[in-house]
Amino acid sequence: MVAVAWSRCAGRDCVRFAEPVADPQVRPSSAAVSAPAMAGTLVDDEGDLCFVPRFGFVAGTRYTVTSAGTVLATLTRPARTVSPTAEVAAIHPTVDVVPRNLLRCYVSFTAPMGDGDAATRVRLVDDAGTVSAHALLPTEYELWNADHTRLTVLLDPARIKRGLAGHRAAGYPLRSGERVRLVVDAGFRDATGAPLVTGAERSYQVGDDLRGHVDPAAWRPTVPAAGSREPFAVAFGRPLDSALLGRCLRVTGPAGPVAGTAVTGDGERAWRLTPALPWQPGRHRLLVDPVLEDVAGNAVGRVFDRDLAYPADRPVTIGFAEVTFVPTP
C-alpha cells in the first residue's frame, strides 16, 4: 500500500505520496467516485509526489484519495476553531414571484467557500419547513464560479421538461400558487473550514410557467439625453438569469464601446447602464448575446422546454441581437 499523508509543499498544505502513483485524485468523501476530482497541481518534491489543491482543504472534512479507481487512503483534516467571517451576499433570483418551471438559483458568498457542503447545506422547503424531496438536481459535483464565491443551484431539469420520465413520475419541482424558500444553512463552511456567520434564505411565490424565446425586440428602452450621463435603461418584461446578465449585454455608440456602470433591478426584470462619459449624439446599439436566458432557461436562440408542435418554439440561429436607440437632443 502506498504511504499517503498530509504534508506541506512550497508553503501550502498538500497530500504527499511516498512512492510513485499513477494519476492520483482527491475528493471530499461526500462526493461520488465518478465525480470530478479536486482541482490542483501535482508537484515533485525531493522525490515525493505532492498534490497541492487549487482551493485549500477544509478543516474537519474527510477526503478519499484514489488512483486508477482504487482507494489508497482516507484522510481527515484536523478540526480547528475558526471564527466565522463569511456570509451569504445574495440569493438570486431576487424577484418575488418565480415561474413554476424555474430552472436555477444562485447563492453568492462574501468569501471563497469549501467543497462538499452544498448537497446538505442548501435546500428548498415549503412554508411549513418541509424539504421538497428531489426538487434540486443531485449533481455529482458542485457548480461554482472560478473563485468559489457563487454556487449554482439547479432544480431537476428532468422534472421540468415535459415528456421526460422524471416529469411524468413526479411533476414539476414547484407548484403554482404555493410559497417556497431556498435555505442556506449556517453550517456551510468556507475555504478555511469556518461556518457562515449566519444562515440565509429567500422566499418565493410560485406563479405560472414562463415559456417562449427571450425577445429583445419586445424590451422597453428608456433613452437618455445626448450630452448627459443619465442611464440608458431597458425593461425585459420577464426576470432574466442574473449571472448571464453580467456578461451578455453591452452598449456601443458612434465611437465604439460605451464604458460605464451596469446594474440590474426590479428582480432582474430591468437593466441600466450609467455611462462614464456623457452620451454622444447618434445611433447606439445594445448588443444582446443570444445565450442570454430567463430564469426558466429560455434563451434568445432557443426555448428550454420546447413544444415540438409549436413552431414558435423552434431554435433559431442568430448572432447578437440588437436594441437600437438614439440619445434625445
Side-chain angles (χ1 to χ4, degrees), residues 59 80-85 190 192-195:
R80 64 178 186 270
T81 302
V82 183
S83 298
T85 58
D190 66 18
T192 71

Side-chain angles (χ1 to χ4, degrees), residues 257-277:
V258 176
T261 302
V263 296
T264 59
D266 190 26
E268 293 76 59
R269 291 174 294 194
W271 180 90
R272 69 179 185 271
L273 174 71
T274 301
L277 299 173

Side-chain angles (χ1 to χ4, degrees), residues 162-203:
R162 297 162 293 177
L164 296 185
H167 181 86
R168 293 198 303 269
Y172 289 97
L174 306 181
R175 294 184 175 87
S176 296
E178 297 185 357
R179 294 198 69 85
V180 295
R181 291 178 289 133
L182 186 70
V183 177
V184 183
D185 194 280
F188 206 133
R189 292 168 294 177
D190 66 18
T192 71
L196 295 171
V197 173
T198 184
E201 64 179 55
R202 183 174 288 278
S203 178

